[in-house]
Amino acid sequence: MKSGLAQLGYTALDWLAELGRSVLFLLRIIAALPMLGRKPRLLVEQVYSVGVLSLVIVVVSGLFVGMVLALSGYRALVQFGASNALGTSVALVVIRELGPVVTGLLFAGRAGSAVAAEIGLMKATDQLSGMEMMAVDPLRRVVAPRFVAGIIALPLLTAIFSVMAIGAGGGYFVGVTLLGVDASAYWHGIQSSVGIGDIIDMFIKAGTFGAIVTWVAVFEGYYAAPTSEGVSRATTNTVVIASLAILGANLILTAMLFSGG
Amino acid sequence: MTQRADIHDSHSPLVEVRDLNFSIAGRPIYRGVNLDIERGKVTAIMGPSGSGKTTLLRLIGGQWRASQGQVLFDGEDVARQSQRRLFDIRKRMGMLFQSGALLSDLSVFDNVAFPLREHTDLPGELVRDIVLMKLQAVGLRNARDLYPAELSGGMARRVALARSIALDPDMVMYDEPFSGQDPISMGVLLRLIRQLNDALGLTSIVVSHDVNETLGIADYVYVIADSEIVDHGTPDELRQSDSEWVDQFLHARADGPVPFHYPGQSYRDDLLTSAR
């Protein structure tokens, strides 16, 4: 019993130490950000790498999520004769919750794992040490551009996901084209229920999730053991930790942002 | 950048290691090591695998810090510099990693141009000319459009060598440059290390356990074993050494101060234990 408690204590201490190390790492990244202004090309390359290359999975997922929401929403609403409110229900669910969260989870799986693996492999093959010995700070050259790229890319991907889910190929296709909901009622419902505040809140959530995913990914990659097993663990940890952090942060942000509405 | 270097005596060693103590995870790697790397010379650091040869290069480069003692580069203690000053010092060092450490997403040309683009504002045409000259020196000018994944091990090290001299450093450190090389690649690397050292007025540190090859190009040799310098001298002096360590190492004897059997319980006791 005592050893079990002691083990629990050691685990908690290790976890706290890791958290502290990751916060210090984040501060070092933030300190390296001003240097990014001198080489904007690095940032553009990373936005392409984590953003543009994630488009396919985000677009396809957006379409399917929108279609499923319209299907299940219609079944519930039609019982109350409120099928014309389908646009409202799909839009609010997507913009307030599912858009940022699902895109964040997809981003963690697609881009977060790739960033962690790339940096971990750079470490394992001495590329980071090589940069240090060439008097180039890997935090500035490798880590900072990837961190900022996530904060830029995820809100844009979330907007694309939401448009796909709500629009012509997703919710609209199932609700209006297949189930016969009135098209003007669908669009009017969205127009009257979704305010600019909802859109801003969606971008705040998505930007926060983007920072969380890339922070976890660059930290796990940078401190990965320089072995194949270490890189594998870093990618797995990135997906697991970032996904859980997104869900936890979403709860907090929802409570903060939408408590008045 | 060179002000303090100018003040320091140009006849003194470029690198001075003084009473160096260093441990990793409680295991001592160095105990009171002293050595000098003379300017303009090729100095070899030799010793069995696991004796901490690569560690010494990382300590000289300031990537790791000694628990006690000093590593002086041109009179400056590398462990006690700010990051900015340390990076200024590193611009005067080139390092050839065992793996090459080429940036895998850049071509050969861009790898060699990397330090020039990071640290200078030279126009693109001049960068191109410098890169081509460095690649010409290692015989790979026409491989400039290849990527690291398309290079053989020997070619990758030659590209890494071209990159390490891109900024015209004072010193180049070679970490196991010959391991895993075929005889032709090894011959090319041997010739390059010696020629570049002499032609460019470099100071070279070669960490290796390839005895004959390294003794063939070195001006001075330190042999490290058991966390200490067990002997040092010119290659000829080492060949005459009466040190058991040096004898075992130079003549590739299977047993000696470095035991064939990993230390632990005796064979007899082990068998008797299992019989019971």
Side-chain angles (χ1 to χ4, degrees):
Chain A
M1 180 67 186
K2 190 179 175 184
S3 67
L5 272 176
Q7 190 58 46
L8 192 67
Y10 284 127
T11 306
L13 283 176
D14 285 347
W15 188 82
L16 279 174
E18 192 78 350
L19 186 66
R21 204 154 60 124
S22 66
V23 170
L24 288 176
F25 187 67
L26 179 64
L27 295 177
R28 287 172 63 200
I29 295 172
I30 291 169
L33 291 183
M35 309 285 273
L36 207 52
R38 283 200 274 163
K39 302 243 178 197
R41 192 177 54 82
L42 294 174
L43 182 58
V44 173
E45 284 173 2
Q46 290 310 315
V47 170
Y48 175 82
S49 176
V50 301
V52 178
L53 296 183
S54 303
L55 265 178
V56 173
I57 190 172
V58 165
V59 166
V60 173
S61 304
L63 291 174
F64 280 119
V65 167
M67 285 192 269
V68 168
L69 278 177
L71 264 178
S72 56
Y74 180 81
R75 283 178 62 193
L77 291 169
V78 81
Q79 294 177 38
F80 306 100
S83 60
N84 283 346
L86 185 65
T88 305
S89 75
V90 171
L92 286 181
V93 169
V94 167
I95 289 173
R96 288 187 173 180
E97 297 300 333
L98 284 187
V101 171
V102 174
T103 315
L105 295 176
L106 293 170
F107 189 72
R110 159 64 186 81
S113 58
V115 166
E118 185 186 15
I119 296 179
L121 271 173
M122 288 181 83
K123 185 179 184 187
T125 53
D126 279 333
Q127 292 182 52
L128 297 182
S129 286
M131 277 190 196
E132 284 179 1
M133 285 307 297
M134 285 187 281
V136 175
D137 185 359
L139 275 177
R140 178 175 62 82
R141 184 67 172 64
V142 176
V143 173
R146 284 160 176 79
F147 175 71
V148 177
I151 298 174
I152 294 171
L154 191 50
L156 299 176
L157 290 171
T158 302
I160 292 167
F161 177 95
S162 301
V163 168
M164 289 297 131
I166 298 165
Y172 181 88
F173 173 71
V174 169
V176 177
T177 311
L178 297 184
L179 300 173
V181 173
D182 182 61
S184 61
Y186 185 87
W187 291 123
H188 179 71
I190 296 171
Q191 214 173 0
S192 59
S193 60
V194 178
I196 188 73
D198 292 315
I199 308 287
I200 292 171
D201 291 348
M202 179 190 78
F203 280 122
I204 291 173
K205 275 189 171 186
T208 308
F209 298 162
I212 287 172
V213 171
T214 44
W215 175 26
V216 172
V218 294
F219 176 76
E220 287 291 334
Y222 200 80
Y223 288 104
T227 60
S228 52
E229 191 194 357
V231 176
S232 160
R233 192 177 298 142
T235 53
T236 308
N237 283 352
T238 297
V239 176
V240 172
I241 295 170
S243 300
L244 293 176
I246 284 172
L247 295 172
N250 185 53
L251 176 64
I252 295 167
L253 285 172
T254 301
M256 285 166 58
L257 297 172
F258 301 130
S259 57
Chain B
M1 185 180 88
T2 55
Q3 201 174 16
R4 284 192 231 182
D6 291 341
I7 293 168
H8 197 72
D9 182 4
S10 62
H11 297 293
S12 65
L14 184 60
V15 177
E16 298 162 79
V17 175
R18 296 286 172 261
D19 299 323
L20 179 70
N21 286 274
F22 183 70
S23 304
I24 295 177
R27 177 180 157 244
I29 306 296
Y30 291 121
R31 285 191 298 253
V33 163
N34 289 283
L35 59 84
D36 292 334
I37 306 295
E38 299 292 339
R39 292 168 197 266
K41 300 279 175 63
V42 175
T43 303
I45 311 291
M46 305 184 76
S49 297
S51 57
K53 305 185 294 296
T54 301
T55 303
L56 183 63
L57 297 189
R58 291 191 184 272
L59 288 163
I60 293 172
Q63 288 190 298
W64 291 348
R65 289 183 177 206
S67 39
Q68 276 181 15
Q70 287 183 313
V71 177
L72 305 174
F73 178 82
D74 214 2
E76 293 186 78
D77 189 342
V78 293
R80 283 173 178 72
Q81 305 299 324
S82 64
Q83 190 191 43
R84 183 185 292 263
R85 181 64 200 146
L86 182 61
F87 276 12
D88 282 342
I89 291 173
R90 282 183 187 162
K91 288 175 195 167
R92 299 174 58 202
M93 301 175 179
M95 177 140 173
L96 184 77
F97 285 82
Q98 191 173 354
S99 60
L102 296 175
L103 300 171
S104 50
D105 58 337
L106 299 183
S107 67
V108 164
F109 182 94
D110 289 333
N111 260 289
V112 180
F114 182 81
L116 293 165
R117 288 173 176 155
E118 287 290 325
H119 297 305
T120 71
D121 294 320
L122 295 174
E125 285 180 12
L126 192 51
V127 168
R128 180 180 179 278
D129 289 347
I130 294 172
V131 170
L132 292 183
M133 282 192 278
K134 302 299 179 188
L135 284 173
Q136 173 73 10
V138 298
L140 291 176
R141 183 173 43 81
N142 289 320
R144 59 183 176 268
D145 294 328
L146 299 179
Y147 277 79
E150 300 171 288
L151 303 174
S152 68
M155 288 167 79
R157 279 180 217 188
R158 284 152 68 187
V159 173
L161 179 51
R163 185 178 68 176
S164 69
I165 57 171
L167 290 174
D168 293 327
D170 295 338
M171 177 177 84
V172 177
M173 298 186 278
Y174 301 87
D175 184 11
E176 301 285 5
F178 315 120
S179 66
Q181 298 300 302
D182 63 58
I184 299 171
S185 295
M186 193 180 275
V188 168
L189 285 167
L190 282 165
R191 191 170 55 84
L192 280 174
I193 292 171
R194 187 72 246 184
Q195 283 185 348
L196 288 174
N197 187 82
D198 297 344
L200 303 178
L202 296 172
T203 300
S204 302
I205 306 177
V206 182
V207 155
S208 178
H209 49 220
D210 293 288
V211 174
N212 292 326
E213 291 77 12
T214 308
L215 292 185
I217 58 164
D219 297 307
Y220 203 80
V221 183
Y222 287 92
V223 180
I224 296 177
D226 199 24
S227 310
E228 292 170 344
I229 304 283
V230 291
D231 208 348
H232 58 98
T234 63
D236 285 339
E237 286 169 349
L238 275 187
R239 287 190 185 97
Q240 310 300 321
S241 170
D242 52 7
S243 159
E244 283 186 342
W245 291 97
V246 176
D247 177 64
Q248 184 188 7
F249 188 68
L250 294 193
H251 298 100
R253 301 194 201 288
D255 214 348
V258 181
F260 173 72
H261 290 288
Y262 192 79
Q265 194 176 6
S266 77
Y267 189 32
R268 178 177 173 279
D269 290 349
D270 233 356
L271 291 177
L272 287 174
T273 305
S274 62
R276 280 185 218 120

